[in-house]
Amino acid sequence: MNQLKSREPGSVALPGTLSASLRAELIAFRRDLHMHPELGNQEFRTTAALKARLEAAGLAPKVLATGTGLVCDIGTWDRSRPMLAIRADIDALPIPDVKTVPYRSTVPNRAHACGHDVHTTTVLGAGLVLAELDRQGLLPNAVRLIFQPAEEVLPGGAADAIESGVLDGVGRIIAVHCDPKVDAGRIGLRPGPITSACDRLEVTLDGPGGHTARPHLTTDLVTAAARIAIDVPALLARRVDARSGLAVTWGRIEAGHACNVIPQHAELSGTVRCLDLPGWRDAPDLVHAAIDEIATLHRAKSTINYVRGVPPVVNDPVITELLHDAMTARRGPYAIEDTEQSLGGEDFSWYLEHVPGAMARLGVRVPGDTTRRDLHAGDFDVDEEAIEVGVELFTAAALIDSAPKH
């Protein structure tokens, strides 16, 4: 058990809080990122901005082999103890920003609508604070910053980052994800699964087509597509343990061009989500079988493109406790709430295939705001106090993780 467990804020002089000037700088940095969103593997401006600021702090960030994203070590690594890594994702989404704010996106149909600008800024801020602590001799062990590209691009940029060696020497990894259901100033924690697996599913149906007056002489692809859309989720519900929460949700169906013509081609696409690893591993075979059964029943030829995405993020209990201790030391136990498992996917899970780690929900809702906001929506925004909270969480975690154990 570490020395700072369950201490109230102020009961120990834990360094690493934000100065007013750095707080203002980080808010400005976040707004600049928000105004200039970049899609996965295209984050060149974002990478350059991060690199310049880290170098100005006397650090030596390295651009990842993919051309975007960075890795940066802070402090002197005691090789007898692996480093703690702090990860941010840096990419944006291909949707328009519809907010009326001074820092609205300047790029058409591009927006930081998932909070990656906040994630990036909190890790940058933590790096700047930890670098100063290291100069003062107050950082006992090295910490690695990982600024990862392409989280929104299945199967996620984490796999490429790992292949490039970002986990070499790392023994633990932490991260946050913005949560618009949690007030700024608070975090949500959960040991075990905190996100779900997410895969992409694309189905094409083909048949001879014909006149709508004679559907019995051809293959009615519109009906076949409709039955697949309805019956596949229903079939899976009876072929998978309900506790796995396997769900197919369609986002697009397209067929035909005229009201009196049965088309020769139809398409469906959607996502497959699952709460646990066993269900996720079985999902491709089960989904294929269900689609083929229904397509055959309607005499349609089916082609299925099942794109593996990401497994669930499964928080390690010990690392989750580290985040709990860090937030308790900074803001007290009342700044922490339990959170549920989300059906969203997150490629942070790929890191956890290699090292233990945990992700916290970072509250970004303005306290008292009853407006319902969600991730991946064009009006998504945050209470910028969350940036300071994230920095404090990460710096405290780094210090507590390095503290002597007894």
Side-chain angles (χ1 to χ4, degrees), residues 121-311:
T121 304
T122 59
V123 175
L124 171 64
L128 298 176
V129 172
L130 291 171
E132 179 58 32
L133 293 178
D134 183 54
R135 283 188 285 272
Q136 298 172 25
L138 297 175
L139 185 64
N141 194 30
V143 175
R144 175 167 293 168
L145 311 181
I146 299 172
F147 296 94
Q148 177 215 302
E151 189 277 331
E152 299 287 356
V153 181
L154 288 178
D160 291 331
I162 293 166
E163 187 174 346
S164 72
V166 300
L167 292 181
D168 294 347
V170 168
R172 301 157 303 286
I173 188 167
I174 56 175
V176 296
H177 198 295
C178 289
D179 191 336
K181 302 186 297 299
V182 178
D183 284 351
R186 298 172 63 83
I187 65 168
L189 290 177
R190 174 188 175 90
I194 193 171
T195 71
S196 300
C198 180
D199 299 333
R200 189 171 74 243
L201 177 61
E202 299 167 345
V203 182
T204 61
L205 302 174
D206 291 286
H211 202 296
T212 56
R214 291 174 289 277
H216 58 291
L217 298 180
T218 185
T219 297
D220 186 352
L221 288 188
V222 174
T223 296
R227 295 315 313 178
I228 286 174
I230 295 170
D231 292 344
V232 165
L235 276 176
L236 292 172
R238 292 297 178 267
R239 296 182 179 179
V240 181
D241 188 328
R243 292 169 294 184
S244 293
L246 184 64
V248 174
T249 305
W250 305 102
R252 185 180 71 93
I253 301 178
E254 185 174 340
H257 301 283
C259 67
N260 61 345
V261 177
I262 294 175
Q264 295 177 307
H265 186 76
E267 298 179 358
L268 305 90
S269 58
T271 59
V272 181
R273 299 180 188 271
C274 190
L275 297 176
D276 62 21
L277 283 169
W280 181 66
R281 293 186 178 115
D282 292 340
D285 290 341
L286 293 168
V287 170
H288 271 80
I291 291 171
D292 285 341
E293 283 182 33
I294 298 167
T296 299
L297 180 65
H298 291 273
R299 297 181 298 175
K301 178 184 177 183
S302 61
T303 303
I304 302 166
N305 182 27
Y306 193 108
V307 182
R308 264 308 200 194
V310 294

Side-chain angles (χ1 to χ4, degrees), residues 385-404:
E385 184 188 343
I387 295 171
E388 183 171 6
V389 176
V391 173
E392 289 184 353
L393 175 70
F394 286 143
T395 54
L399 292 170
I400 295 172
D401 181 66
S402 298

Side-chain angles (χ1 to χ4, degrees), residues 76-161:
T76 302
W77 179 27
D78 174 3
R79 292 180 178 270
S80 68
R81 188 159 187 256
M83 283 183 282
L84 173 73
I86 309 174
R87 174 266 197 175
D89 38 11
I90 66 175
D91 57 326
L93 286 162
I95 63 175
D97 189 344
V98 300
K99 299 187 301 295
T100 304
V101 293
Y103 49 88
R104 179 178 174 176
S105 172
T106 61
V107 184
N109 298 314
R110 302 287 186 270
H112 269 295
C114 200
H116 293 190
D117 53 336
V118 174
H119 305 166
T120 300
T121 304
T122 59
V123 175
L124 171 64
L128 298 176
V129 172
L130 291 171
E132 179 58 32
L133 293 178
D134 183 54
R135 283 188 285 272
Q136 298 172 25
L138 297 175
L139 185 64
N141 194 30
V143 175
R144 175 167 293 168
L145 311 181
I146 299 172
F147 296 94
Q148 177 215 302
E151 189 277 331
E152 299 287 356
V153 181
L154 288 178
D160 291 331

